[in-house]
């Protein structure tokens, strides 16, 4: 007989432990919950404003899972809702910030309360106006802001000074701002009226005050700046101070290449109430050849005012005869009743 069987060693598959719950860094979790962008979320952690399971955390490397309780300023961070995006026409004179150290009014003070907590995609300085995108998803904001996406920002600038299109074309190769080379800037001279000119400027990055600095590079002073588009989204005829939500289907179509937007669950619908017109309509216009005689006899006819009425016999074309158009006392002379 062969030697006794050796004890079987557990395979590598047997050594594997059950998969741990999906964990993600706290900054990403807060961003996807619409609290702040990843960078701002890291600042919130450093300021000691974030708790996980009742304890203040001090590092943005902390990871959380579905069962962890996360709090921001002692308020529980709820589950992520589906991504939403709004167009907002920012008026000039307001700061694009949730809190201002100088106590000035911010754009978030002006927004409707039913929007909930939202963050801005990029910023517009206090004297600028026009299109500002708002979202409840910090992850989406990060993608829209990142230079690698190449989304264009288009502005209309009213500038004081004299300029030619040839001089504006020098911006196409980029310029140095604070020692850093910018990406190509497209500038088109639209019109000139006295000492002021309207110029359309298109950028691919969102550096601080880039349009104003680019115009200063050409000895122009911007006295009005309006953002008219951001990527595929336009300001259009949206009035100052108003917001308009972008349809979720449009977000999926226009931004689906940046991140995943799952389809929304289809709400359950209840059938029509018994005895209603919709209920009676279900039994109408069904092909007769598919029914047996017993099925036809048992077929509901509707109820009340929706009951199916019997068909009238078609009339005979000749007048004065049974089934004709005119009968009885309404028959013309010589017809119907006839002469006696």
């Amino acid at each position: 007989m062969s030697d006794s069987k050796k004890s079987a060693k557990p395979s590598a598959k047997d050594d594997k432990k059950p998969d741990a719950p999906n964990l993600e860094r706290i900054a990403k979790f807060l961003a996807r919950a619409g609290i702040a962008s990843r960078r701002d979320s890291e600042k919130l952690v450093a300021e000691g404003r974030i708790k996980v399971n009742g304890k203040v955390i001090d590092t943005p490397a902390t990871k959380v899972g579905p069962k962890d309780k996360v709090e921001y300023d002692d308020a529980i961070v709820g589950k992520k809702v589906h991504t939403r995006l709004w167009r907002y026409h920012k008026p000039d004179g307001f700061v694009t910030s949730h809190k201002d150290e100088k106590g000035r009014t911010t754009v978030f003070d002006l927004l409707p309360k039913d929007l909930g907590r939202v963050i801005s995609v990029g910023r517009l300085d206090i004297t600028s106006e026009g299109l500002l995108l708002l979202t409840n998803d910090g992850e989406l904001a990060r993608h829209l802001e990142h230079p690698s996406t190449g989304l264009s920002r288009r502005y209309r600038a009213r500038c004081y000074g004299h300029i030619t299109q040839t001089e504006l074309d020098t911006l196409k190769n980029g310029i140095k701002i604070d020692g850093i080379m910018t990406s190509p800037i497209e500038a088109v001279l639209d019109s000139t009226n006295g000492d002021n000119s309207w110029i359309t400027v298109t950028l691919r990055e969102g550096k601080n005050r880039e349009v104003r600095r680019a115009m200063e590079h050409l000895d122009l002073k911007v006295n009005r700046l309006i953002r008219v588009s951001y990527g595929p989204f336009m300001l259009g005829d949206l009035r100052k101070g108003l917001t308009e939500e972008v349809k979720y289907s449009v977000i999926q179509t226009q931004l689906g290449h940046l991140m995943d937007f799952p389809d929304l669950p289809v709400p359950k619908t209840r059938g029509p109430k018994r005895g209603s017109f919709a209920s009676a309509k279900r039994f109408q216009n069904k092909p007769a050849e598919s029914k047996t005689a017993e099925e036809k006899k048992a077929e509901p006819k509707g109820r009340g005012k929706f009951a199916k009425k019997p068909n009238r016999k078609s009339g005979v074309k000749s007048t004065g005869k049974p089934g004709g158009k005119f009968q009885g006392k309404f028959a013309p002379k010589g017809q119907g009743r006839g002469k006696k």
Side-chain angles (χ1 to χ4, degrees), residues 34 83-90 95-98 107-112 115-124 130-138 140-141 144-145 227 230 233 238 241-246 251 255:
T83 298
R84 300 177 71 185
L85 183 71
W86 291 266
R87 294 185 304 125
Y88 172 60
H89 190 157
K90 175 194 175 294
V95 183
T96 309
S97 175
H98 281 279
V107 295
F108 298 99
D109 296 328
L110 307 176
L111 297 176
L115 257 64
R117 182 174 178 83
V118 295
I119 57 178
S120 63
V121 178
R123 296 190 177 188
L124 287 174
L131 179 64
L132 183 65
L133 295 180
L134 306 170
T135 180
N136 64 341
D137 192 331
L140 174 60
L144 292 174
E145 293 171 355
R227 182 154 67 190
Y230 194 115
F233 305 106
L238 186 64
L242 296 184
T243 58
E244 184 176 273
E245 185 169 3
V246 179
I251 297 176
L255 305 178

Side-chain angles (χ1 to χ4, degrees), residues 140-161:
L140 174 60
R142 188 181 72 87
H143 282 296
L144 292 174
E145 293 171 355
H146 205 279
S148 63
T149 60
L151 294 178
S152 63
R153 290 88 156 161
R154 184 167 297 163
Y155 301 80
R156 292 207 71 215
R158 187 178 65 190
C159 304
Y160 178 79

Side-chain angles (χ1 to χ4, degrees), residues 272-284 305-306:
K273 291 183 179 180
R274 189 173 182 182
S276 64
F277 176 72
S279 177
K281 195 174 181 181
R282 291 182 300 169
F283 305 107
Q284 298 177 6
K305 63 180 181 180
F306 305 113

Side-chain angles (χ1 to χ4, degrees), residues 50 149 172 206 213:
I50 305 300
T149 60
K172 289 183 178 180
R213 292 185 177 188

